[in-house]
């Protein structure tokens, strides 16, 4: 059974990642690599706030994990010269939890709220007033005798981070003055991240070695840094300590991360889809049984990257392998396999005619 935290290519952070990231994190916007548009826009927000002598607008950062949302929140605090308080949505289950945090903030302090979409509804409603009016109402007592005592808050900046912006209610989204979406990194940007990390970790790395690791990092700096550490271990034990393309490739082959960033679970899903089910379509639960995993594991852990890579498509009929999936496994795709189409013959359409890809000579006979 595969757990996301067990995978070398997961974008979620474990204890080791958090410890290393603390040492590798850039301390200013100038040091931060990638996310050029968000970085430029955020720089303007912070510079304007400093010029006014006030606090910056509340900031919402959205995007997949591992792209630098926590790092940017720390940079916001560092650029403004103020402390930062870090918490997360799941940790705030009651309005009282949030009130305790807000009432202890210093003026201008940055409050970083990770996974803000997972905050409880009562706390969320309290946050509306805190963000807009810098005030919260503390409820004392219960029932008809309960009274609300207003508590004034010093101006602060909330930095919310979410991997699922669509789950945020519009009233909460609208209270953020700046919203930045974090995109996956290009290989060239990941190479710069790797060179910087290698310098800080004192790992000799060649240009081609960085390129090899970057190409297997799924566009995510956290994964790139994790792969770098594993390649460093391999280089120290089985090579001369320097990270070249050959050393990086051999190391990541040992850890079962292929040239496209797919690991054992990803390849198992593709292999089952192509060899057992002819490319699909096949239902998610059937596919999960075929690879010996839970349905949620296949859907939430393996599928997102396979879909983003153009290797797998989700359709109303089930999962299908694209022509690129066959090619990735070293197989020849069937003649009728197009990008995003199943490896099987075209499925009948709603009225009995063949679906996309059918020739203009006519569909199946009615009847």
């Amino acid at each position: 059974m595969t757990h996301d935290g067990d995978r070398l290519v997961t974008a979620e952070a474990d204890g080791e990642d958090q410890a290393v990231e603390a040492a590798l994190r850039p301390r200013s916007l100038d040091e931060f690599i990638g996310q050029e548009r968000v970085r430029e826009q955020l720089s303007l927000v912070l510079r304007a706030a400093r010029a006014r002598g006030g606090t910056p607008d509340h900031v919402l950062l959205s995007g997949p994990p591992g792209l630098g949302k926590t790092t940017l929140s720390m940079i916001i605090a560092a650029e403004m010269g103020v402390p930062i308080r870090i918490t997360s949505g799941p940790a705030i289950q009651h309005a009282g939890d949030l009130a305790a945090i807000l009432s202890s903030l210093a003026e201008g302090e940055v409050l970083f709220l990770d996974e803000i979409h997972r905050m409880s509804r009562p706390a969320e409603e309290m946050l509306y007033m805190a963000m807009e009016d810098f005030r919260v109402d503390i409820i004392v007592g219960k029932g008809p005798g309960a009274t609300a005592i207003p508590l004034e808050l010093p101006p602060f900046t909330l930095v919310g981070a979410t991997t699922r912006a669509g789950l945020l209610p519009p009233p909460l989204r609208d209270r953020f003055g700046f919203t930045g979406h974090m995109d996956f990194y290009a290989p060239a940007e990941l190479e710069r991240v790797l060179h910087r990390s290698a310098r800080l970790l004192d790992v000799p790395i060649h240009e081609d070695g960085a390129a090899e690791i970057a190409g297997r990092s799924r566009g995510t700096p956290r994964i790139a840094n994790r792969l770098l550490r594993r390649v460093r271990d391999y280089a120290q034990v089985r090579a001369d300590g320097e990270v070249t393309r050959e050393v990086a490739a051999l190391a990541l082959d040992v850890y079962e991360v292929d040239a496209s960033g797919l690991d054992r679970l990803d390849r198992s899903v593709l292999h089952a889809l192509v060899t057992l089910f002819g490319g699909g379509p096949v239902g998610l639960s059937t596919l999960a049984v075929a690879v010996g995993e839970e349905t949620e594991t296949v859907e939430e852990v393996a599928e997102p990257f396979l879909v983003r890579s153009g290797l797998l498509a989700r359709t109303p009929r089930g999962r299908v392998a694209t022509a690129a999936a066959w090619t990735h496994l070293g197989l020849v795709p069937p003649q009728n396999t197009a990008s995003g189409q199943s490896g099987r013959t075209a499925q009948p359409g709603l009225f009995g005619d063949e679906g996309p890809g059918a020739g203009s000579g006519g569909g199946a006979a009615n009847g």
Side-chain angles (χ1 to χ4, degrees):
M1 196 65 60
T2 300
H3 298 284
D4 201 12
D6 299 333
R7 306 174 73 213
L8 201 58
V9 291
T10 177
E12 302 294 341
D14 58 18
E16 181 188 7
D17 291 324
Q18 293 170 355
V20 174
E21 284 175 5
L24 298 182
R25 251 185 200 117
R27 302 288 187 256
S28 69
L29 283 175
D30 290 337
E31 293 180 26
F32 191 88
I33 297 170
Q35 311 297 339
E36 299 293 339
R37 186 174 295 277
V38 172
R39 199 156 50 92
E40 180 182 7
Q41 294 170 346
L42 196 52
S43 175
L44 292 172
V45 170
L46 299 181
R47 290 174 63 183
R50 286 199 301 268
R52 290 192 306 268
T55 57
D57 287 339
H58 301 301
V59 174
L60 177 64
L61 300 172
S62 65
L67 300 184
K69 295 186 292 294
T70 303
T71 297
L72 276 181
S73 73
M74 294 182 172
I75 286 176
I76 290 171
E79 295 271 358
M80 297 303 298
V82 296
I84 183 171
R85 191 83 54 93
I86 298 177
T87 186
S88 66
I92 301 177
Q93 292 303 310
H94 307 283
D97 299 334
L98 180 62
I101 295 172
L102 293 173
S103 61
S104 64
L105 291 176
E107 184 171 352
E109 191 167 356
V110 171
L111 172 61
F112 176 60
L113 190 49
D114 198 10
E115 296 184 277
I116 191 172
H117 62 276
R118 295 178 60 188
M119 188 169 48
S120 69
R121 183 53 59 88
E124 190 179 281
E125 292 173 353
M126 174 179 281
L127 191 58
Y128 295 162
M129 184 181 296
M131 293 173 69
E132 199 158 22
D133 302 327
F134 296 111
R135 178 174 69 88
V136 293
D137 288 338
I138 306 298
I139 307 299
V140 178
K142 293 183 178 180
T147 58
I149 301 176
L151 175 65
E152 298 295 325
L153 302 175
F156 68 95
T157 297
L158 174 68
V159 180
T162 177
T163 55
R164 306 183 69 180
L167 295 184
L168 286 181
L172 180 56
R173 261 200 317 268
D174 293 344
R175 282 170 167 79
F176 287 96
F178 172 79
T179 301
H181 180 74
M182 313 283 280
D183 293 315
F184 288 104
Y185 281 57
E189 293 174 324
L190 286 178
E191 289 178 40
R192 291 168 57 200
V193 170
L194 286 164
H195 280 294
R196 179 181 181 276
S197 298
R199 285 196 303 272
L200 295 174
L201 295 173
D202 196 24
V203 177
I205 189 168
H206 294 209
E207 292 285 346
D208 58 0
E212 185 67 26
I213 298 173
R216 304 188 187 210
S217 298
R218 301 182 176 224
T220 306
R222 176 175 291 150
I223 295 175
N225 285 329
R226 188 185 300 128
L227 296 184
L228 173 64
R229 300 199 303 275
R230 300 290 77 81
V231 172
R232 172 197 61 185
D233 296 344
Y234 180 95
Q236 289 175 346
V237 174
R238 296 190 180 178
D240 59 3
E242 294 195 1
V243 177
T244 63
R245 180 184 294 277
E246 182 182 8
V247 168
L250 290 171
L252 295 177
D253 286 346
V254 168
Y255 289 105
E256 298 185 285
V257 179
D258 70 20
S260 297
L262 274 63
D263 69 354
R264 183 203 60 79
L265 175 61
D266 301 318
R267 289 191 299 275
S268 295
V269 170
L270 285 186
H271 192 266
L273 185 54
V274 166
T275 60
L276 299 182
F277 304 107
V282 61
L284 175 62
S285 58
T286 303
L287 184 59
V289 170
V291 296
E293 297 287 351
E294 296 289 342
T295 302
E296 292 78 9
T297 302
V298 174
E299 184 176 25
E300 299 173 11
V301 177
E303 279 192 352
F305 182 67
L306 294 176
V307 171
R308 182 161 64 88
S309 301
L311 299 172
L312 179 147
R314 294 169 171 165
T315 73
R317 292 178 175 274
R319 274 54 177 174
V320 298
T322 66
W326 294 76
T327 304
H328 185 85
L329 295 174
L331 303 172
V332 178
Q335 290 294 323
N336 60 336
T337 304
S339 178
Q341 297 295 316
S342 163
R344 290 184 174 179
T345 56
Q347 296 291 326
L350 182 61
F351 300 105
D353 56 316
E354 289 186 334
S360 58
N366 291 331

